Amino acid sequence: MRVAGIDGGGGAWTVALWEGRSVRIQRCRSLREVIPLSPSVVGIDMPIGLPSRREPGGRRADREARRRLGRRGVCVFSPPVRESLSAATYREALGINREAGGGISVQCFGLFPALRELDDWMREDPSRRDWVKEVHPELSFMAMNGGRPMEQSKHTPEGIRCRISLLDEALFLPRCGRRMEEVLGPLPAAWREHVVDACAALWSALRIVEGTAERLPPEEERDSCGLPMEIWY
């Protein structure tokens, strides 16, 4: 059985693939490259279900994630309304979201290519909603850390060190018998955060397979296209 965790960013998708007793990292330019990897479950750090209206604080899943993460809740962004994905400029996307009840940031607009790709990929095959699940690495790390949100940002050396330590104890040592660096080798600085988040997404995907993962919100919610608006960890 193969299970994958995916982090989007840097113009590519970083995939952490579990293959029984090992973890392999792969960079994919397109989500279509994930299909030949044959994962049974995928945890992806990118919003799947998109709202039709902008509610304060975003989707219910986003609001509950922020509540659990406390001050680390700043890592959870509210996705744009679906209608705005076709916007060619930030000004156009901002106007559509404002008409739907709220604005969006420039940073959010920068994720539009990845959001569009994921949305198209999920909608072209409805069966994918059964095995592709939205996750959030900060929720994963909170769960690994005994329910306590991380104190340091992942953008700091200490924050990365603490997250790698948690991955060692929760993922690499129990499943591979070795620490993360022994399995993957030294991580290039430009790629380190994406690999760490992809591995956290993989950890949550494995919990989904084993039936131990949690979902926000607990009740099922879907968007206008039938895609789930939920976050697993």
Side-chain angles (χ1 to χ4, degrees):
M1 180 181 64
R2 291 180 169 184
V3 179
I6 302 179
D7 178 68
W13 301 93
T14 300
V15 181
L17 186 66
W18 166 252
E19 300 178 300
R21 289 291 297 171
S22 65
V23 176
R24 175 162 59 92
I25 302 298
Q26 184 165 330
R27 292 273 275 178
C28 296
R29 290 294 173 183
S30 166
L31 286 172
R32 298 187 188 283
E33 296 176 34
V34 175
I35 299 299
L37 301 178
S38 302
S40 57
V41 173
V42 169
I44 187 166
D45 178 21
M46 189 66 65
I48 292 178
L50 301 175
S52 299
R53 291 283 306 168
R54 291 284 286 182
E55 301 293 339
R59 305 168 302 174
R60 182 180 170 192
D62 307 317
R63 298 193 299 271
E64 293 198 11
R66 289 194 199 94
R67 180 176 59 80
R68 298 203 179 194
L69 288 171
R71 64 188 185 90
R72 297 303 307 152
V74 297
C75 300
V76 180
F77 81 95
S78 300
V81 295
R82 176 178 300 285
E83 184 185 356
S84 69
L85 285 187
S86 60
T89 66
Y90 170 66
R91 178 172 292 184
E92 181 184 0
L94 179 62
I96 294 171
N97 278 274
R98 280 179 172 167
E99 287 180 6
I104 58 168
S105 66
V106 174
Q107 290 81 2
C108 178
F109 182 70
L111 293 173
F112 270 36
L115 286 167
R116 279 192 291 262
E117 182 185 359
L118 177 58
D119 190 58
D120 290 343
W121 190 66
M122 292 295 295
R123 289 199 290 159
E124 74 179 12
D125 184 350
S127 71
R128 287 176 185 151
R129 66 191 65 173
D130 295 326
W131 57 274
V132 180
K133 304 295 185 180
E134 179 182 340
V135 301
H136 197 292
E138 287 302 296
L139 287 170
S140 303
F141 287 119
M142 179 194 73
M144 292 181 213
N145 197 37
R148 301 183 301 276
M150 303 301 292
E151 294 185 5
Q152 300 287 332
S153 166
K154 68 179 181 180
H155 304 301
T156 66
E158 178 64 12
I160 283 289
R161 187 195 66 77
C162 289
R163 285 164 176 78
I164 289 176
S165 178
L166 287 172
L167 286 169
D168 281 339
E169 297 300 322
L171 176 62
F172 285 92
L173 286 172
R175 296 186 185 270
C176 303
R178 295 182 295 163
R179 296 186 180 275
M180 184 174 176
E181 187 170 357
E182 295 174 310
V183 175
L184 303 180
L187 302 178
W191 198 15
R192 187 178 295 119
E193 290 179 15
H194 297 301
V195 172
V196 167
D197 281 352
C199 288
L202 169 60
W203 181 79
S204 288
L206 286 164
R207 279 163 51 95
I208 292 170
V209 170
E210 294 164 354
T212 59
E214 296 187 52
R215 180 181 69 182
L216 299 177
E219 303 81 15
E220 182 179 271
E221 289 192 354
R222 294 187 180 269
D223 68 8
S224 60
C225 293
L227 297 177
M229 295 194 293
E230 58 194 26
I231 303 175
W232 292 80
Y233 66 98

